[in-house]
Amino acid sequence: MRRKDDTLRDTLLTLARSIADTDGIDAVNIRTIAQRAGIATGTMYNYFSSKDEILLALTEEYWMQALAEMRTAITANSFCEQLEEIFVFLKKQIDQSAGKLMNSLGSLEPLGQARMASLQSALESSLIQRMEQDSAIREDIWNEQFTKPQFARFIMRNMILLLRTKAPMTDLCFFIAIVKNTIYDRKGE
């Protein structure tokens, strides 16, 4: 089997992203990408077995880039204010390209969800770091039954639920109030 050229793969993904952005996700297909790249359609199959696989790669790439951007986009000082910024940031990403890409995965949706789990894990790690940077969070709440990783997972699951159900901001505010009442000393507010 011929060795794959990572540069060509990146070029093919760039072309696919361009097609999706200009003509819509439905316009992304192996033949069109091959034509724009100036390669044989068969060569495309050395890199992607189907349109779904291309869309999965685009989705994963999109979210990795979005998470990198999020690191600098979240500027609030307190953890709970950061949660609101994170939610708004993720909602914007989903409302733009990410949601359309995720909904177009077709037969590869279970694989897409599995790959998204690793990105969710990265987000959970980011939440833990953000909690550790907020000196107003009570240290006495953490124990063997109530750990920072468990709390970060709880936060992510609820934020994902709020995003998936397109919950109103009042639901987010209620959720953040729960987090705030859990981790901060109520006298210090």
Side-chain angles (χ1 to χ4, degrees):
M1 184 173 160
R2 205 174 126 211
R3 195 175 137 181
K4 293 181 183 179
D5 177 358
D6 288 338
T7 305
L8 179 56
R9 184 181 189 282
D10 292 343
T11 299
L12 297 174
L13 280 176
T14 299
L15 289 169
R17 187 178 328 101
S18 174
I19 293 166
D21 290 345
T22 58
D23 303 328
I25 293 170
D26 290 338
V28 174
N29 63 61
I30 289 187
R31 181 169 295 157
T32 303
I33 297 168
Q35 287 172 342
R36 292 202 185 171
I39 62 172
T41 303
T43 303
M44 280 290 299
Y45 288 102
N46 290 330
Y47 297 89
F48 303 100
S49 63
S50 66
K51 172 183 176 171
D52 285 346
E53 195 173 307
I54 294 167
L55 294 175
L56 177 61
L58 284 177
T59 303
E60 191 171 19
E61 180 183 89
Y62 183 93
W63 277 112
M64 288 186 342
Q65 180 181 345
L67 292 179
E69 290 172 13
M70 188 179 80
R71 288 184 188 102
T72 58
I74 307 306
T75 59
N77 290 324
S78 81
F79 178 70
C80 285
E81 290 170 344
Q82 290 175 9
L83 283 182
E84 185 171 348
E85 287 183 356
I86 290 169
F87 181 86
V88 169
F89 180 87
L90 293 175
K91 183 176 179 343
K92 181 180 174 189
Q93 301 304 313
I94 289 169
D95 290 347
Q96 290 177 351
S97 299
K100 293 174 189 153
L101 280 168
M102 289 169 24
N103 290 330
S104 67
L105 292 179
S107 65
L108 293 182
E109 187 174 344
L111 182 57
Q113 289 174 349
R115 289 193 185 166
M116 291 304 291
S118 68
L119 295 174
Q120 182 178 331
S121 178
L123 257 174
E124 289 172 11
S125 294
S126 171
L127 290 177
I128 293 168
Q129 290 173 340
R130 292 174 186 281
M131 280 188 270
E132 291 172 347
Q133 293 170 352
D134 187 343
S135 62
I137 294 176
R138 297 174 26 219
E139 283 297 321
D140 65 326
I141 61 171
W142 310 117
N143 58 46
E144 288 180 25
Q145 288 80 37
F146 192 81
T147 66
K148 287 178 188 175
Q150 289 170 322
F151 194 58
R153 194 170 311 113
F154 168 79
I155 290 170
M156 278 308 307
R157 286 180 179 162
N158 280 279
M159 286 182 72
I160 289 169
L161 179 65
L162 291 169
L163 288 165
R164 281 188 180 152
T165 60
K166 299 180 191 297
M169 284 302 283
T170 54
D171 287 0
L172 175 66
C173 292
F174 179 75
F175 174 67
I176 290 176
I178 292 170
V179 172
K180 188 180 284 187
N181 288 331
T182 302
I183 63 175
Y184 292 113
D185 182 0
R186 297 190 67 166
K187 292 180 253 177
E189 290 183 21

